[in-house]
Amino acid sequence: MNRISVAQPKLQGNERKYVLDCLDTNWISSNGKYIGAFEEAFAAFCGTKHAVAANNGTTALHLALVALDLQPGDEVIIPTVTYIATANAVKYCGATPVLVDVCADTMNIDPAEIERHITPRTRGIIPVHLYGHAADMTPIMELARKHKLWVLEDAAEAHGAEVQGQRVGGIGDCATFSFFGNKIVTTGEGGMVTTNSDELAARLRLYRGQGVDPKRRYWFPVIGYNYRMTNIQAAIGLAQMETIDASLAERQALARMYDEALAPLQDLLVTPTTRPGMHHVYWMYTVFLRSGGEQEREAVMQTLEANGIESRPVFYPMHVLPPYLEDGKYPVADEWAQRGMNLPTHQFLTREDVDRVVAVLAKALGR
Ligand SMILES: *Cc1c(COP(=O)(O)O)cnc(C)c1O
């Protein structure tokens, strides 16, 4: 019986050809034609004026925060349910991530909870588009305007997700993406910052490349970083962008197969919701037990594993992790994160695979 993995990249377009081109032409470092081409293709995909490539999604987040001039002592509002890189990037700047509870249906930051966490030190909000469903950007942008805060979208998990017909990446002041091996678009390791601001784009490029003056070699007006992407990474990324429409369509089709196959288990499991006006891109098809807790979820995941099916738990909320530990002020995250799991979500899964996953799930749930 084949093992079904939770994620798997698909590299069946021009990835190999473009990587070989890098090797054959000796352009393997962070100069070369694929970087600009990938940035342009990605900006066009997001509908933004600029895209600035970085070497991973975490450095993209840090770079964006540096470009936004985040300073020690500042505060940034983030959801408690996210991948830890969101919180860590704020810490890298000496600033404080202020955690906010999430909505039960999407696990995204709850806009109704944001305002009471705003203080005179708050500089911005980082909504995370978790598992492929965009955060509730309309009220978030209204709040940000009202309080003069910037918004950085952490879109690491949501390439192509939409809010009222607009793709993520250009809704906030800037957005960051990840191209890790398990993300919707991959370059192995890689990241991107998108923005419509010329000024922000110039700062992103300055700080990405050690802070070197673009017009004067070895002249460094600021302390920058080496967060550059290589031509090899960008070569893979450009090929990935050539097949992105098909990739997204395959993920939609997979989600519909899961929806259908899981319909008889609706009394036991909550399947993904898509809010009105949103377009979900299903980075991870995520289900929640209607009752029980972490133990019950672990038992289900062990049964899946014993049957050759990999799954993953929903992220632990930041407020239960040692670096960000706080006492229970996050009832939705506390109740739901421990009941959630990501089912295998990638482009090689067949109807038979989906049926097998659902049959084992049904057995694990006592059906
Ligand atoms: C993957 C991810 C990141 C970090 O990206 P890396 O490329 O792994 O550094 C940041 N935020 C979220 C929400 C992610 O899922």
Side-chain angles (χ1 to χ4, degrees), residues 56-58 61 82-83 85-86 128 154 156-157 178 180 183 189-190:
N56 62 60
T58 307
L61 272 168
T82 182
Y83 181 60
T86 318
V128 180
D154 184 344
E157 308 180 356
S178 166
F180 185 62
K183 299 285 162 81
E189 294 275 4

Side-chain angles (χ1 to χ4, degrees), residues 19-301:
V19 168
L20 288 176
D21 182 44
C22 295
L23 297 174
D24 291 340
T25 57
N26 263 334
W27 289 97
I28 59 169
S29 194
S30 57
N31 291 314
K33 65 180 180 187
Y34 288 109
I35 297 157
F38 180 35
E39 288 179 336
E40 258 176 50
F42 201 80
F45 173 76
C46 293
T48 56
K49 203 166 168 194
H50 303 279
V52 178
N55 53 354
N56 62 60
T58 307
T59 55
L61 272 168
H62 184 208
L63 182 61
L65 293 173
V66 168
L68 288 163
D69 199 28
L70 188 64
Q71 294 292 327
D74 290 347
E75 292 176 2
V76 178
I77 288 175
I78 70 166
T80 189
V81 179
T82 182
Y83 181 60
I84 195 165
T86 318
N88 287 351
V90 173
K91 280 282 193 187
Y92 298 163
C93 297
T96 305
V98 174
L99 307 179
V100 167
D101 207 356
V102 295
C103 303
D105 58 341
T106 59
M107 290 281 112
N108 280 326
I109 193 165
D110 184 351
E113 287 290 303
I114 291 177
E115 199 156 26
R116 67 185 181 89
H117 289 88
I118 295 173
T119 77
R121 293 179 165 225
T122 310
R123 296 291 170 264
I125 308 170
I126 312 182
V128 180
H129 306 313
L130 206 73
Y131 300 135
H133 188 294
D136 197 358
M137 292 305 290
T138 309
I140 292 171
M141 294 310 294
E142 271 168 27
L143 274 172
R145 268 189 290 271
K146 180 174 159 197
H147 294 274
K148 298 193 166 48
L149 308 174
W150 47 252
V151 174
L152 160 56
E153 303 171 63
D154 184 344
E157 308 180 356
H159 317 62
E162 290 172 22
V163 180
Q164 315 289 351
Q166 187 181 1
R167 278 201 172 141
V168 302
I171 303 171
D173 297 84
C174 59
T176 58
F177 291 82
S178 166
F179 307 120
F180 185 62
N182 64 8
K183 299 285 162 81
I184 293 174
V185 172
T186 187
T187 61
E189 294 275 4
M192 191 75 82
V193 189
T194 55
T195 182
N196 287 312
S197 157
D198 296 340
E199 192 202 326
L200 211 49
R203 285 173 62 80
L204 290 163
R205 291 186 186 282
L206 175 72
Y207 283 95
R208 173 182 66 176
Q210 302 282 26
V212 72
D213 187 325
K215 294 193 196 82
R216 195 170 168 195
R217 280 182 86 190
Y218 300 108
W219 184 257
F220 302 95
V222 296
I223 297 176
Y225 302 85
N226 178 356
Y227 283 172
R228 297 183 299 257
M229 175 178 270
T230 68
N231 202 41
I232 300 174
Q233 288 170 290
I236 298 172
L238 181 64
Q240 290 268 292
M241 293 315 291
E242 291 170 352
T243 56
I244 181 78
D245 293 342
S247 304
L248 292 172
E250 283 171 356
R251 283 177 182 275
Q252 278 308 318
L254 175 68
R256 295 294 81 78
M257 284 193 256
Y258 268 126
D259 287 346
E260 210 183 299
L262 287 168
L265 301 179
Q266 282 291 345
D267 57 323
L268 300 169
L269 281 181
V270 183
T271 54
T273 16
T274 303
R275 294 241 187 127
M278 298 286 188
H279 177 65
H280 196 327
V281 287
Y282 301 99
W283 173 52
M284 284 286 149
Y285 191 95
T286 306
V287 296
F288 296 85
L289 302 182
R290 283 200 189 268
S291 60
E294 193 171 356
Q295 268 189 329
E296 286 75 10
R297 193 237 345 244
E298 292 309 307
V300 170
M301 288 178 54

Side-chain angles (χ1 to χ4, degrees), residues 4 258 262 265 304 309-310 343-344 349 351-363:
I4 299 179
Y258 268 126
L262 287 168
L265 301 179
L304 288 168
I309 298 162
E310 188 188 6
L343 298 182
L349 293 169
R351 158 92 45 190
E352 289 69 42
D353 293 329
V354 168
D355 288 345
R356 193 175 125 201
V357 172
V358 173
V360 175
L361 256 181
K363 196 175 75 177

